[in-house]
Amino acid sequence: MHDELIAQAQAWLTEDPDPETRTELARLIDAKDHTELAARFSGTLQFGTAGLRGELGAGPMRMNRSVVIRAAAGLAAYLKKQGHENGLVVIGYDARHKSHNFARDTAAVMTGAGLRAAVLPRPLPTPVLAFAIRHLGAVAGVEVTASHNPPRDNGYKVYLGDGSQIVPPADADIAAEIAAIPSLTTVRRPTEGWDTLDDAVLDAYLARTDAVLAKDSPRTARTVYTAMHGVGKDVLLAAFARAGFPEPELVTEQAEPDPDFPTVAFPNPEEPGAMDLAFATARETTPDLVIANDPDADRCAVAVRDGDDAWRMLRGDEVGALLAAHLVRRGATGTFAESIVSSSLLGRIAEKAGLPHVETLTGFKWIARAEGLRYGYEEALGYCVDPDGVRDKDGITAALLITELASVLKEEGRTLLDLLDDLAVEHGLHATDQLSVRVEDLSLITAAMRRLREQPPTELAGLPITRTEDLTQGTESLPPTDGLRYTLDGARVIVRPSGTEPKLKCYLEVIVPVTAHTDLPASRTRATALLESIKRDLSTAAGI
């Protein structure tokens, strides 16, 4: 068994084009580190609807140049079979370790396969790549990013020519082409022949950002901004300057790209402690709101003053509802879409405005495909406010729109929290929370899902479960996915494994009727108690 493992590793080593990972792998082979080699060679990183994502390192179970070259070759073969022999593939990348190498390798593979390739000029936000696909008439796009994953990770996200991320069956078809590549020696990789784009694409994207704002709207709200060590700063500052907003106050410690993300445990605004420096800056500068992007700037987090010197993050569902209410007030038409794990408040807002509303599976690869889409969001801080320009979540345009809303409210002597109160009185208090369990051993997630299926709970927090749906069967409006949905009297729970991280995620929502603004404190207290009780009972039922 060990001999076979060493032979596998040596065969990989002979093909590896990267001196760093070759050295790393040679050291493991020389040390006969069978445990670590088994972890690297126990299979291959699976290409799915999220593309590839994993820890950097040598071997087929890690992100490295060999894995990326195979992925690019599989994508090229797929595109050619789809009739795109001379099509353009546009490639973007973030500032993580190896991102530029992976982008360059992708361009070389596409060129070698007879396709045309164009690489963005430098590390830029993911939404700029999503925009560039449609703007340049590309047949596909690749973004090298691990979004808000830990520093040791990188990833490979694939878009097709409509500018939205791949969905089945394209993912399986591409995976099959990747698996069919016998050896890296069969993949042509010229050293030139692709284009490196100039700033014209970025300028076109920035010109497009103006379209998300209402003509002559107030632009007075003051912001603190953190790029979370990612690539958002320059593009966001340029967009804010074009719009005429006050220049954001930067969280200087996190303003410049740094692939090691030194000031945060996880470079995700949702994670505990990630916003501490932003809040410290806000206490010094007293802005109207705090805005954060994740490292590839496709997500947008918003925090508001809640008390004299206290700041709190708004939930993604709260920002989703605020933006929806703002667009309705501005007279927007078209479909409002959200993922099934997001708050049902969006449906209430859309219904009252007489607008179509749809729920999709989790992820913007599904939300972006909603027919007649005007606005889409999901609770994980993702918002699509300009679907004709960027058919994906976009943390830059979302930041513009929420700052416009804050400016409108500021002129009226009101805040984002005041508008949230109004929405609660109008539609009921929709309170959401998450039970999220990160694991080292993925079998724990499988065991929890099996336990819930074999011994389903009949009530949570004393509320009877009126309907249980196993989403692996699909529904009238949703394709199959690994998840469970519980409908309770005044509440909803969805349990699913994360598609991008080793986490089991449980999404909770309770709806408490509110008759007047004076009832809000009591309603919030009841909602918080219900959510905590549901969390406890669900944790017990799942054995986590």
Side-chain angles (χ1 to χ4, degrees):
M1 184 70 176
H2 286 167
D3 289 347
E4 188 181 323
L5 189 59
I6 294 290
Q8 224 182 329
Q10 283 175 330
W12 184 274
L13 182 64
T14 60
E15 290 190 356
D16 190 339
D18 188 332
E20 283 185 37
T21 44
R22 274 206 312 274
T23 301
E24 178 188 328
L25 187 53
R27 194 166 57 243
L28 293 174
I29 293 170
D30 291 345
K32 295 186 171 57
D33 190 338
H34 299 123
T35 303
E36 186 61 27
L37 286 170
R40 310 294 186 96
F41 287 87
S42 58
T44 58
L45 277 186
Q46 291 303 299
F47 187 94
T49 54
L52 293 167
R53 201 176 285 190
E55 188 175 340
L56 289 161
M61 286 296 289
R62 298 287 185 267
M63 281 296 294
N64 51 64
R65 290 182 61 197
S66 297
V67 165
V68 164
I69 289 165
R70 286 175 180 273
L75 174 60
Y78 167 82
L79 291 171
K80 289 168 79 171
K81 283 188 178 176
Q82 297 294 310
H84 300 307
E85 285 84 356
N86 192 40
L88 173 67
V89 179
V90 61
I91 302 149
Y93 58 101
D94 66 12
R96 284 178 178 265
H97 293 295
K98 302 282 186 185
S99 285
H100 182 254
N101 305 79
F102 296 165
R104 183 184 169 86
D105 282 330
T106 301
V109 171
M110 295 301 161
T111 304
L115 292 148
R116 292 176 296 126
V119 184
L120 292 182
R122 59 185 171 280
L124 286 167
T126 293
V128 177
L129 181 276
F131 167 82
I133 296 165
R134 291 160 70 89
H135 180 68
L136 297 173
V139 299
V142 171
E143 176 69 20
V144 180
T145 181
S147 190
H148 56 275
N149 276 39
R152 64 178 181 269
D153 289 1
N154 213 329
Y156 197 81
K157 188 185 290 190
V158 175
Y159 297 76
L160 293 181
D162 61 355
S164 54
Q165 297 172 50
I166 54 169
V167 294
D171 58 336
D173 292 345
I174 296 168
E177 297 292 348
I178 295 170
I181 295 158
S183 160
L184 283 194
T185 58
T186 66
V187 181
R188 289 191 61 230
R189 285 187 293 127
T191 56
E192 58 185 14
W194 58 89
D195 291 329
T196 298
L197 297 168
D198 59 20
D199 278 353
V201 166
L202 177 59
D203 292 342
Y205 167 83
L206 286 168
R208 179 88 207 177
T209 61
D210 299 348
V212 305
L213 302 174
K215 201 171 187 306
D216 302 325
S217 62
R219 313 277 166 96
T220 54
R222 293 172 52 254
T223 55
V224 158
Y225 171 71
T226 176
M228 206 67 67
H229 298 297
V231 297
K233 180 197 72 167
D234 290 347
V235 179
L236 182 130
L237 289 181
F240 269 57
R242 286 181 66 100
F245 287 113
E247 183 175 352
E249 189 78 37
L250 297 179
V251 180
T252 52
E253 302 94 328
Q254 299 174 334
E256 299 303 327
D258 187 332
D260 295 318
F261 306 105
T263 68
V264 289
F266 288 94
N268 179 354
E270 292 179 294
E271 292 283 348
M275 295 290 286
D276 287 355
L277 287 171
F279 293 158
T281 306
R283 283 191 287 273
E284 290 169 11
T285 57
T286 61
D288 298 297
L289 69 166
V290 174
I291 289 172
N293 286 139
D294 66 337
D296 68 326
D298 62 351
R299 287 174 169 82
C300 176
V302 180
V304 294
R305 189 192 307 280
D306 192 12
D308 285 343
D309 208 25
W311 286 82
R312 81 164 175 96
M313 276 271 290
L314 295 179
R315 292 190 168 277
D317 284 317
E318 291 177 312
V319 177
L322 287 168
L323 291 176
H326 182 45
L327 289 170
V328 165
R329 181 173 171 178
R330 279 180 27 184
T333 59
T335 300
F336 279 26
E338 63 181 323
S339 60
I340 56 170
V341 299
S342 303
S343 172
S344 58
L345 177 55
L346 184 71
R348 304 256 181 123
I349 292 170
E351 183 183 20
K352 180 150 190 190
L355 297 174
H357 168 254
V358 298
E359 285 187 323
T360 73
L361 292 185
T362 310
F364 265 83
K365 55 185 173 282
W366 298 108
I367 294 169
R369 285 178 160 75
E371 191 174 339
L373 181 66
R374 173 59 186 89
Y375 168 65
Y377 99 92
E378 66 178 358
E379 51 69 47
L381 310 183
Y383 315 95
C384 174
V385 301
D386 177 26
D388 290 339
V390 176
R391 219 157 185 80
D392 196 10
K393 55 187 176 291
D394 182 347
I396 305 296
T397 49
L400 286 171
L401 196 62
I402 198 72
T403 308
E404 177 185 64
L405 172 58
S407 299
V408 170
L409 293 168
K410 185 178 181 178
E411 299 297 298
E412 298 170 356
R414 286 156 40 82
T415 67
L416 296 175
L417 292 179
D418 292 329
L419 180 52
L420 283 173
D421 287 350
D422 293 349
L423 292 172
V425 173
E426 188 174 0
H427 303 287
L429 176 64
H430 290 61
T432 58
D433 203 353
Q434 234 190 78
L435 172 63
S436 183
V437 183
R438 185 182 290 271
V439 299
E440 293 292 330
D441 180 358
L442 288 173
S443 68
L444 295 173
I445 293 176
T446 308
M449 294 297 290
R450 184 171 62 245
R451 179 170 174 165
L452 287 170
R453 286 188 169 105
E454 291 173 356
Q455 303 167 40
T458 56
E459 66 171 38
L460 295 168
L463 302 173
I465 293 175
T466 56
R467 188 179 184 194
T468 298
E469 297 167 276
D470 188 340
L471 300 176
T472 52
Q473 311 302 312
T475 70
E476 281 182 20
S477 58
L478 298 171
T481 188
D482 186 9
L484 296 162
R485 179 162 59 182
Y486 304 111
T487 304
L488 299 87
D489 186 14
R492 182 219 66 201
V493 174
I494 293 173
V495 183
R496 60 179 280 274
S498 169
T500 55
E501 297 177 272
K503 283 181 176 181
L504 182 68
K505 290 188 155 186
C506 310
Y507 304 85
L508 326 174
E509 178 176 43
V510 300
I511 304 166
V512 179
V514 182
T515 52
H517 281 77
T518 50
D519 297 335
L520 278 168
S523 298
R524 288 207 168 92
T525 300
R526 170 159 173 70
T528 301
L530 277 173
L531 287 168
E532 286 304 314
S533 187
I534 290 173
K535 267 195 209 177
R536 279 196 304 273
D537 291 355
L538 187 60
S539 184
T540 301
I544 52 175

